[in-house]
Amino acid sequence: MNLLADMIAGWAFTRSESHEILASLSDEQLQFQPTGAKWRPLYYQFGCMARTQLVYAAAVESGVMDYSLFSSSELPSKTAIQDGAGLAALLNEANKHWLRVLKSRAAEDAIRWPDHTRSVARHIGSLAEHERLHHGQIIGYFSTAGINLPAGFKGNWAL
């Protein structure tokens, strides 16, 4: 397997766990929000994953990581979709676009970030790190709300 294919396979596993977590939640549970001014509802976590993936895909297309896209009104809102089916569809659409643009690049191709340059392979890794950060936050949500984590996710992380 070449490096790009290996990174994409790793990414696919990360995203599959996001889908497993999402599928374990009811629409009512997606509304859960821990107490505190900085917390967002649980559905926001999944909206952020999809939106961030679209920003990363734009960077693959242009060769430049444009942080201004994180606040662009042209991308789906992190809060507009609040139900499981809608969030699953959003994650799927973002992922289809991501995989489509990755096909046009090589693992070693450069993407210019504001303060350095990363290879496409490292860019994929950065997106996976972002998604894993959300997984960690979601574990906190589940613990606070008294929701059981899905069996596969728990098994993969020995939780």
Side-chain angles (χ1 to χ4, degrees):
M1 185 180 291
N2 69 34
L3 178 59
L4 189 59
D6 192 37
M7 294 299 295
I8 291 171
W11 163 255
F13 177 72
T14 300
R15 179 50 60 90
S16 74
E17 290 200 319
S18 299
H19 277 290
E20 180 186 15
I21 293 166
L22 179 58
S24 76
L25 294 164
S26 68
D27 289 347
E28 181 181 332
Q29 289 169 321
L30 283 166
Q31 298 298 315
F32 175 74
Q33 181 173 343
T35 303
K38 297 197 180 219
W39 288 97
R40 303 284 190 146
L42 186 51
Y43 65 78
Y44 179 92
Q45 298 287 326
F46 298 96
C48 184
M49 287 182 225
R51 185 180 172 94
T52 299
Q53 187 176 26
L54 292 171
V55 172
Y56 274 63
V60 172
E61 289 178 294
S62 70
V64 177
M65 183 65 168
D66 181 358
Y67 283 8
S68 73
L69 292 176
F70 285 108
S71 59
S72 172
S73 61
E74 294 179 22
L75 295 176
S77 165
K78 296 177 190 178
T79 59
I81 301 172
Q82 300 180 12
D83 64 284
L87 289 167
L90 179 61
L91 289 171
N92 284 332
E93 285 305 310
N95 202 50
K96 284 179 190 173
H97 180 65
W98 169 247
L99 295 174
R100 193 169 40 253
V101 300
L102 284 175
K103 287 181 180 179
S104 68
R105 302 297 294 267
E108 304 78 24
D109 287 352
I111 296 177
R112 195 173 73 244
W113 282 55
D115 59 350
H116 59 286
T117 299
R118 292 187 178 176
S119 67
V120 169
R122 184 67 197 106
H123 189 70
I124 295 168
S126 295
L127 181 61
E129 290 170 5
H130 173 265
E131 194 127 339
R132 287 296 187 199
L133 174 65
H134 279 287
H135 292 169
Q137 292 172 327
I138 289 168
I139 290 169
Y141 277 79
F142 273 60
S143 297
T144 303
I147 302 169
N148 291 321
L149 288 164
F153 185 84
K154 282 177 66 171
N156 288 334
W157 296 99
L159 299 174

